[in-house]
Amino acid sequence: MALSEFDIIARYFTRQGAYRDDVVLGVGDDAALLKVPRDRQLVLAVDTLVAGRHFPEDAAAFDIGWKALAVNLSDFAAMGATPAWATLSLTMPAVDKHWLQAFADGFYTLAEQYQVALVGGDTTRGPLSVSVQLQGYIKPGKVLRRDAAKPGQALFVSGTLGDAACALHQLQSGAVDALVFGRLNRPEPRVALGQLLGGVAAAAIDVSDGLLADLGHILEASRCGATLYPERLPASAALQNLPAGEVLEYQCNGGDDYELCFSVAPERRAQLDAMLHEQALSVAEIGVIDAQPGLRCKFADGRIITPAIHGFDHFLSDDDD
Ligand code: ADP
Ligand code: MG
């Protein structure tokens, strides 16, 4: 039986999370109605994934649903914000029930993990494209902004870098490593870390287009420079047996890591260390913010080089948005 637009929404996109009592009106009316907490600022982010550009045409539907929400959650993590509600704009060439079920499962699995309620959206026919808008809130003064880095602050990055870029490279050669493919297809946004960093870190950004490019956004917004220590960039076990130069390239210029890069002032350092210890969070110190503009890499043997920031993005071709 053919499904109408209304049937699709009713069948796949009306799961009710029992975890939110701030949704006055969700999917089904002309607009959603939400209770925004007092004394909080509203936070919004939107990201669109287009087939053939942000994911392969034949990517698993579960992963597409997951990632469409994950990239927005990662933006929230980078602000230190609390996610709450989402809208979903779905454009697809035809109605494929198995695809829709798997897509909805991927989306809702992550949504439930972060207690995000899907409160509305739009469903149309056309080339496959998924746009998720995420809404949430933050305590004024706790926000992590790109323009808050200052000379003397230490630079950190969460988790490990380069796995997703390595996975893209492996796709070309046919060898498949489950760990790095998991990082590419189902990124784990660092929402909890971002919230903990509110009031502790100064500037933050999520690493989606490559560490150097994204750190560059902090430096530009904050009008300062940085020195990175390349040997300290964290790598997963999956990258351990690759040539050092290849690993460094993935870590610096690969995209899709969805880790947080942030700066911390010296007077907040003890607070950060205590928090990381208490929460058993994986974070590496990778450099320092300088007054001198530009980005330098300082190796353990004393060599200092100016890295090519746009030199290695052939993994993602011109896919840098
Ligand atoms: P209208 O044409 O009046 O905007 P729609 O038919 O587009 O209404 O949508 C009907 C209801 O279903 C609205 O509440 C809308 O937010 C919701 N909706 C539509 N598509 C989706 C979707 N993919 N996911 C979640 N909710 C959706
Ligand atoms: Mg509509």
Side-chain angles (χ1 to χ4, degrees):
M1 191 195 75
L3 295 183
S4 68
E5 184 187 322
F6 179 80
D7 295 330
I8 293 169
I9 298 163
R11 189 182 285 202
Y12 300 105
F13 299 115
T14 49
R15 286 188 214 177
Q16 299 293 330
Y19 39 78
R20 298 212 78 89
D21 58 6
D22 52 10
V23 179
V24 182
L25 204 51
V27 171
D29 213 308
D30 293 311
L33 210 51
L34 310 164
K35 281 190 238 171
V36 182
R38 259 176 222 276
D39 308 324
R40 294 287 185 279
Q41 288 169 336
L42 186 64
V43 181
L44 299 179
V46 65
D47 252 316
T48 300
L49 303 186
V50 176
R53 184 156 174 83
H54 299 94
F55 59 87
E57 304 272 355
D58 62 350
F62 186 101
D63 294 346
I64 299 170
W66 174 289
K67 198 163 176 178
L69 181 57
V71 296
N72 283 286
L73 286 167
S74 183
D75 284 327
F76 265 58
M79 300 300 284
T82 303
W85 316 288
T87 51
L88 162 67
S89 184
L90 177 61
T91 306
M92 55 195 173
V95 176
D96 175 336
K97 291 174 191 169
H98 296 291
W99 190 93
L100 274 163
Q101 187 61 55
F103 174 85
D105 286 345
F107 184 94
Y108 278 110
T109 299
L110 194 60
E112 276 159 27
Q113 200 173 314
Y114 289 95
Q115 312 220 312
V116 169
L118 180 64
V119 296
D122 199 23
T123 307
T124 52
R125 189 196 287 258
L128 182 59
S129 162
V130 184
S131 190
V132 172
Q133 192 200 44
L134 188 60
Q135 300 100 26
Y137 44 85
I138 195 165
K139 232 183 201 168
K142 292 283 185 184
V143 69
L144 306 167
R145 296 170 50 134
R146 295 181 182 188
D147 61 4
K150 291 204 169 59
Q153 293 176 349
L155 267 174
F156 298 84
V157 73
S158 63
T160 61
L161 295 172
D163 293 308
C166 178
L168 279 180
H169 187 73
Q170 286 184 357
L171 268 179
Q172 289 158 9
S173 65
V176 176
D177 179 317
L179 191 146
V180 297
F181 271 86
R183 293 292 312 269
L184 176 66
N185 293 328
R186 293 186 202 171
E188 291 283 352
R190 305 300 181 195
V191 177
L193 175 63
Q195 286 176 291
L196 286 168
L197 289 174
V200 178
I205 194 166
D206 65 319
V207 182
S208 56
D209 295 333
L211 175 68
L212 299 188
D214 288 318
L215 175 56
H217 296 316
I218 287 185
L219 302 182
E220 199 180 332
S222 301
R223 296 169 190 278
C224 48
T227 300
L228 280 185
Y229 311 123
E231 287 99 343
R232 295 199 199 168
L233 297 181
S236 75
L239 271 60
Q240 231 99 79
N241 294 324
L242 299 176
E246 188 179 335
V247 172
L248 194 56
E249 199 172 296
Y250 294 149
Q251 291 173 308
C252 288
N253 289 305
D256 276 352
D257 290 308
Y258 301 106
E259 296 294 351
L260 295 184
C261 175
F262 56 94
S263 69
V264 176
E267 62 270 23
R268 295 282 182 197
R269 184 53 192 262
Q271 205 182 335
L272 175 77
D273 289 341
M275 185 190 94
L276 295 177
H277 182 73
E278 197 177 310
Q279 308 283 334
L281 290 163
S282 156
V283 162
E285 183 171 354
I286 59 165
V288 64
I289 300 286
D290 303 323
Q292 186 191 343
L295 191 54
R296 293 153 292 281
C297 284
K298 186 174 182 184
F299 290 84
D301 63 8
R303 263 181 315 134
I304 296 177
I305 62 151
T306 303
I309 297 186
H310 299 291
F312 300 109
D313 54 9
H314 52 258
F315 303 114
L316 297 173
S317 66
D318 61 347
D319 193 354
D320 59 357
D321 54 345

